[in-house]
Amino acid sequence: MAWVAVSVSMGFVGLAVLAWCAFKVWLGVRRFGRELERTRRRLEPKQSALRDEVSRMEETRASQPPEDGVRSS
């Protein structure tokens, strides 16, 4: 009968270990999410500046007449 108590105890210990690991993973995911949000906030001004520059380049390129251009032959 002692083996039943040992088996149940080992089951609870195993669940406790899994719960601890899940908690550590949850903390890591929260920390990673905060880091991603902080990085996103830091990159937003540079991303919008790059987007503006690309749109200016596209407007400049579209306003030029489509001539022969440079040929590589």
Side-chain angles (χ1 to χ4, degrees):
M1 218 36 166
W3 61 273
V4 174
V6 170
S7 297
V8 170
S9 301
M10 294 300 282
F12 279 119
V13 168
L15 287 175
V17 168
L18 287 176
W20 176 252
C21 291
F23 178 70
K24 295 290 276 184
V25 167
W26 179 71
L27 287 177
V29 167
R30 279 184 50 198
R31 198 173 305 127
F32 184 60
R34 285 194 301 262
E35 183 69 24
L36 283 177
E37 184 60 35
R38 184 177 73 88
T39 303
R40 190 175 295 123
R41 281 195 313 266
R42 289 178 63 197
L43 288 177
E44 180 60 36
K46 294 179 183 184
Q47 182 182 13
S48 63
L50 180 63
R51 197 177 297 133
D52 292 342
E53 182 69 24
V54 167
S55 66
R56 274 196 301 269
M57 288 173 65
E58 287 175 347
E59 290 171 1
T60 304
R61 183 175 176 180
S63 65
Q64 294 176 350
E67 296 177 3
D68 287 339
V70 177
R71 295 191 180 206
S72 61
S73 56

